[in-house]
Amino acid sequence: MNELLKLLTGMLGANVPVAAALKLAPILAPVVIDLADGDAHLSAENRLKLQEEIEHLKERGQL
């Protein structure tokens, strides 16, 4: 979970707005499930999905 928080705050700043979290919810849901499987590290696939979605939302001015 720390890895997820570090990724989010690294890309979005220290305070992740609620609106940003809601926009990322469809991507975050499977990531949280991935973290809940007992392995506390993000898979490379989920890390990439999250990074790409954050970049797309930034490009569209939604973050």
Side-chain angles (χ1 to χ4, degrees), residues 5-36:
L5 293 174
K6 186 175 180 178
L7 175 65
L8 288 174
T9 56
M11 294 188 79
L12 298 173
N15 297 314
V16 178
V18 172
L22 291 174
K23 288 179 189 217
L24 292 171
I27 300 296
L28 288 172
V31 172
V32 171
I33 291 169
D34 176 36
L35 292 172

Side-chain angles (χ1 to χ4, degrees), residues 36-56:
D37 70 359
D39 182 0
H41 298 286
L42 283 174
S43 68
E45 178 183 352
N46 280 329
R47 174 181 285 281
L48 182 60
K49 283 181 190 177
L50 190 54
Q51 289 172 321
E52 287 176 344
E53 186 61 24
I54 289 171
E55 288 302 320
H56 284 105

